């Protein structure tokens, strides 16, 4: 029983990290229609930035925020000066972001070498929480809470604020939005920067659990793709549900059916693509 509970907590915590990665990917792809294959690189590069800042003695959460800000700036640069020149050219955008991901991977290997980096869990959240004789790692519970809080904040921003209304207007009809004075290009840059920052933040807070190593980007990006396909592009609720679902499937599959782990992981994606291509919570595009 305790084994299943431990796997359950680890699965939900892993789902929280996947949400931080996938939420930005879903916003970028769902709202801007940009297939950003370097999103996993933002996760890995942000994690490397974070552990480097931590090594200099900074507070853990400050390191996470600084890393998120740095990736936001890099993401804004990529969108503004590279991807915007290829607007509407999906294949060119795929090739560009894929090439950039390879460049980032090699740079990380040169700068941080091939040794894994794993910072210690923040001292305030070390240890375990005892409930009814069962022990739950405090830091993993914190990851879950952080993911839920960010999910609520993103939902409020997109659905209930003036900024969110302008973003939706720019996505639905960019020319008309420009006519009424909305700076659509700046909004899209903001979305891309936000997505990159969220990925980096997730990379830093996930580093005590996952560690940071070459190839982390290639490991996380397919999981983000599966989450977005399951939940539906542009749907924050779908991304949240899909992240926790994939977290459970990934951890339980690896622990209980290691030979079938990837079958268990990818089979739901195949079924959704066949039966409901828009995703569980996605909308049918006319």
């Amino acid at each position: 029983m305790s084994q299943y509970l431990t796997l359950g907590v680890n699965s939900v915590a892993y789902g929280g990290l996947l949400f931080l990665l996938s939420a930005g990917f879903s916003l970028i792809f769902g709202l801007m229609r940009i297939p950003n294959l370097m999103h996993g690189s933002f996760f890995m590069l942000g994690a490397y930035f974070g552990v480097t800042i931590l090594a200099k003695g900074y507070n853990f959460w400050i390191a996470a925020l600084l890393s998120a800000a740095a990736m936001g700036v890099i993401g804004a640069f990529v969108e503004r000066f590279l991807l915007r020149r290829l607007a509407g050219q999906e294949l060119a955008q795929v090739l560009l972001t894929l090439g950039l991901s390879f460049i980032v991977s090699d740079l990380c290997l040169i700068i941080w070498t091939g040794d894994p980096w794993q910072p210690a869990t923040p001292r305030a959240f070390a240890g375990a929480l005892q409930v009814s004789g069962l022990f739950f790692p405090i830091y993993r519970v914190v990851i879950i809470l952080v993911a839920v809080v960010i999910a609520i904040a993103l939902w409020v921003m997109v659905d209930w604020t003036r900024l969110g209304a302008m973003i939706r207007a720019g996505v639905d009809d960019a020319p008309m939005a420009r006519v009424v004075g909305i700076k659509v290009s700046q909004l899209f840059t903001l979305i891309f920067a936000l997505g990159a920052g969220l990925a980096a933040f997730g990379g830093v807070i996930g580093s005590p659990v996952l560690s940071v190593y070459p190839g982390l980007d290639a490991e996380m990006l397919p999981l983000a793709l599966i989450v977005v396909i399951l939940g539906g592009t542009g749907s924050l609720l779908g991304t949240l549900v899909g992240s926790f679902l994939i977290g459970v499937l990934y951890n339980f599959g690896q622990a209980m059916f290691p030979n079938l782990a990837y079958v268990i992981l990818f089979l739901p994606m195949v079924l959704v693509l066949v039966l409901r291509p828009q995703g569980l919570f996605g909308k049918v595009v006319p």
Side-chain angles (χ1 to χ4, degrees):
M1 181 66 177
S2 60
Q3 177 188 2
Y4 291 114
L5 284 174
T6 301
L7 278 174
V9 173
N10 291 340
S11 299
V12 177
Y14 194 74
L17 293 176
L18 283 179
F19 173 78
L20 295 177
L21 172 65
S22 304
F25 186 83
S26 180
L27 288 174
I28 292 170
F29 187 51
L31 298 181
M32 301 173 63
R33 303 292 187 267
I34 295 178
N36 178 27
L37 295 188
M38 71 172 300
H39 203 70
S41 299
F42 289 133
F43 185 90
M44 181 179 70
L45 185 58
Y48 272 124
F49 270 43
V51 296
T52 302
I53 296 172
L54 283 173
K56 296 184 181 298
Y58 284 83
N59 175 271
F60 183 85
W61 299 106
I62 292 177
L65 292 174
L66 288 175
S67 178
M71 288 306 103
V73 172
I74 294 174
F77 177 87
V78 170
E79 192 281 332
R80 175 64 181 84
F81 295 102
L82 300 177
L83 288 171
R84 189 174 299 181
R85 299 174 181 272
L86 303 173
Q89 303 177 50
E90 288 81 4
L91 179 58
Q93 291 174 341
V94 167
L95 293 175
L96 173 65
T97 55
L98 183 62
L100 289 174
S101 70
F102 289 142
I103 292 172
V104 170
S105 296
D106 283 349
L107 288 176
C108 288
L109 187 60
I110 292 171
I111 297 172
W112 287 283
T113 74
D115 296 327
W117 291 52
Q118 186 168 19
T121 300
R123 187 176 302 175
F125 304 114
L129 181 67
Q130 184 177 5
V131 179
S132 300
L134 300 174
F135 293 89
F136 302 96
I138 295 175
Y139 187 64
R140 284 170 170 78
V141 176
V142 170
I143 291 175
I144 298 169
L145 294 176
V146 168
V148 171
V149 169
I150 291 179
I152 294 173
L154 289 174
W155 172 67
V156 170
M157 184 197 77
V158 173
D159 287 357
W160 295 96
T161 66
R162 184 170 181 269
L163 175 61
M166 290 191 296
I167 291 173
R168 296 196 306 274
V171 170
D172 293 338
D173 193 337
M176 185 59 68
R178 290 189 178 94
V179 168
V180 298
I182 297 175
K183 298 179 179 178
V184 177
S185 60
Q186 294 183 8
L187 286 177
F188 283 178
T189 301
L190 177 63
I191 294 172
F192 202 94
L194 176 62
L198 282 174
F201 186 80
V204 177
I205 70 170
S207 58
V209 178
L210 303 174
S211 75
V212 191
Y213 51 88
L216 180 62
D217 54 341
E219 181 179 322
M220 299 301 292
L221 181 61
L223 297 178
L225 287 170
I226 298 173
V227 168
V228 172
I229 290 171
L230 283 180
T233 56
S235 171
L236 288 173
L237 176 60
T239 302
L240 184 65
V241 173
S243 296
F244 289 130
L245 177 61
I246 293 303
V248 170
L249 291 176
Y250 184 81
N251 278 275
F252 275 88
Q254 292 280 358
M256 303 182 67
F257 307 100
N259 294 330
L260 298 174
Y262 284 100
V263 175
I264 295 171
L265 186 62
F266 283 93
L267 184 59
M269 182 193 73
V270 174
L271 293 176
V272 168
L273 284 173
V274 172
L275 301 176
R276 189 177 170 85
Q278 69 273 24
L280 298 177
F281 296 88
K283 297 179 181 179
V284 178
V285 179

